[in-house]
Amino acid sequence: MKRWFRTLVITIFALAAVSLIVIQFIQTRRTFSISDNMFNVSVNNAMDEVVHQMSGEVFQTAAHPATAFNYQDLDSLIVEELLLNGIDLHPVVGIYDGSQGSFLYTSDSRREESLERSPYRYNFSPIGVVSSGQYFIILAFPETELFLQSNTKVYIYMTIFLLVVIATMFFISLRTLAAQRKLDQMKTEFINNMTHEIKTPISTIGLACEMLRDDSVSQDAATRSNFLGIIADENQRMRVLVETILQSAKMSNKNFSINPKKVDINTLVSTVLQSFRLTLSNRGGTIETHLDADPSVLDADELHLTNMVYNLVDNAIKYSVDAPRIEVGTLCKEGHIILTVRDHGIGIAKENQKRVFEKFYRVSTGNVHNVKGFGIGLNYVSQVVRLHHGHIALESELGEGSTFTVSLPMV
């Protein structure tokens, strides 16, 4: 996925999400306004009926409502009429004498201030007569606004929750697509590099075989031996390459295990270094050895240990400029055998050193991109070290070279 396309998709999604939030907010405000208006209409309709029923009774039975009015009946009547008009809230009820400026009755004396501020105020009027009296029935709905808002907030919260879920899934999908694209690219590079790496020893072996068919070459024992050595070295190189790929795939299985036996690390390193004599000779390089481990025997899987050493030395040669100068050493320290492979090549930047052991990762800065490789060699090395309960460390400076140090327990 190209950067501009990913940016476009994210921008469109962000605009759509913001638009949806704005629309939802406007619609919620509108719904709240409509609900509030409908609530007021319902209350007014209910109270019109209450006043119509009660006014005549009050003013026909007594000169003063305070002495003749049944307040409990009024409460019941108000609740009943509100229910008939679709409102299931129980309001605070008060009867207010405007001429005296005081309440004749309140269903909750603690809410008198709320009753005084309430807009739900209804004047008593005798039936069929426009009264100038100052008696009012006042209702206070302390939960009304909260009740209406709570209903709308549920939808707001649900909308926000769904937007968060959609956004999360959207970005997870983008990351998955990007990771998939990166994986496809790495696989393509892996196949290209693998083809190149395998073609090189095949071509060298083919050329050596052609030379051996020449009678003048085949009759010279020294020359024939040299070409046979080339074939053996290149065959070993190709075997290690293929083995690294196969074993790396097998190590991905959690049930994978090694087959340890007694292995002499000094002998093993010497044997591996012999397979690089042709490469070093062609590039004018040298390998300096300090095989000082004594005792040098440890319990290890010989195949994987051989491939591990091969990969470390092969990397040291590949990432060296001009004539490679490689130093390989072993020593014993605190019950461990320490193997070091040092080169004086191009080195690895600090920010890349932690990732060099990742599968398929290849440093793409400096001159490193000019070197062919699988991107699984050091990952394979780290897995071999882990399976042997050892430790691997890297020290490197750009332009000065790299040193890989492997510590393996003797038992």
Side-chain angles (χ1 to χ4, degrees), residues 198-213 227 230-231 234-235 238:
I198 293 179
K199 281 177 65 177
T200 300
I202 290 176
S203 298
T204 303
I205 291 172
L207 180 61
C209 290
E210 287 294 326
M211 295 299 295
L212 287 174
R213 290 194 181 98
F227 280 113
I230 291 174
I231 292 174
E234 291 301 302
N235 181 69
M238 189 161 55

Side-chain angles (χ1 to χ4, degrees), residues 81-101:
E81 290 297 330
L82 288 174
L83 284 173
L84 290 175
N85 284 272
I87 299 175
D88 59 353
L89 297 177
H90 196 152
V92 178
V93 180
I95 295 181
Y96 185 76
D97 185 351
S99 60
Q100 298 295 323

Side-chain angles (χ1 to χ4, degrees), residues 28 32 143-154 156:
T28 301
F32 179 75
E143 306 95 353
T144 302
E145 186 175 352
L146 295 175
F147 176 76
L148 294 174
Q149 287 181 353
S150 64
N151 285 340
T152 54
K153 281 182 179 179
V154 170
I156 294 175

Side-chain angles (χ1 to χ4, degrees), residues 213-228:
R213 290 194 181 98
D214 190 319
D215 292 338
S216 60
V217 172
S218 60
Q219 292 177 3
D220 186 337
T223 304
R224 184 174 66 251
S225 177
N226 182 49
F227 280 113
L228 289 174

Side-chain angles (χ1 to χ4, degrees), residues 145-334:
E145 186 175 352
L146 295 175
F147 176 76
L148 294 174
Q149 287 181 353
S150 64
N151 285 340
T152 54
K153 281 182 179 179
V154 170
Y155 297 104
I156 294 175
Y157 292 148
M158 287 181 63
T159 301
I160 294 174
F161 173 74
L162 291 174
L163 281 174
V164 171
V165 171
I166 293 171
T168 302
M169 297 305 297
F170 174 77
F171 285 108
I172 289 176
S173 299
L174 281 181
R175 288 189 60 182
T176 302
L177 288 174
Q180 187 65 42
R181 180 177 178 275
K182 184 177 180 181
L183 182 60
D184 290 341
Q185 184 178 357
M186 288 192 300
K187 286 182 177 180
T188 301
E189 292 178 355
F190 170 75
I191 293 172
N192 292 336
N193 293 333
M194 180 181 67
T195 302
H196 174 85
E197 290 285 342
I198 293 179
K199 281 177 65 177
T200 300
I202 290 176
S203 298
T204 303
I205 291 172
L207 180 61
C209 290
E210 287 294 326
M211 295 299 295
L212 287 174
R213 290 194 181 98
D214 190 319
D215 292 338
S216 60
V217 172
S218 60
Q219 292 177 3
D220 186 337
T223 304
R224 184 174 66 251
S225 177
N226 182 49
F227 280 113
L228 289 174
I230 291 174
I231 292 174
D233 290 345
E234 291 301 302
N235 181 69
Q236 170 67 8
R237 177 185 176 189
M238 189 161 55
R239 186 195 67 79
V240 172
L241 291 175
V242 174
E243 199 66 42
T244 298
I245 297 171
L246 295 177
Q247 296 302 328
S248 179
K250 289 181 179 179
M251 286 180 179
S252 299
N253 189 339
K254 294 182 179 180
N255 296 324
F256 180 83
S257 60
I258 58 175
N259 298 310
K261 64 178 183 179
K262 298 296 182 181
V263 177
D264 188 310
I265 188 70
N266 291 340
T267 303
L268 184 145
V269 171
S270 298
T271 302
V272 171
L273 295 181
Q274 286 295 321
S275 63
F276 290 99
R277 59 181 181 176
L278 176 62
T279 303
L280 289 170
S281 176
N282 291 338
R283 295 184 56 181
T286 59
I287 292 184
E288 182 178 343
T289 58
H290 302 279
L291 306 180
D292 300 326
D294 186 19
S296 59
V297 177
L298 72 162
D299 289 328
D301 189 304
E302 185 174 8
L303 172 63
H304 292 298
L305 202 62
T306 300
N307 293 340
M308 181 194 77
V309 176
Y310 184 96
N311 275 285
L312 290 174
V313 177
D314 186 53
N315 271 357
I317 295 173
K318 287 195 297 186
Y319 294 106
S320 294
V321 180
D322 300 326
R325 291 190 300 115
I326 313 300
E327 299 172 20
V328 180
T330 62
L331 58 89
C332 294
K333 184 178 180 181
E334 299 177 355

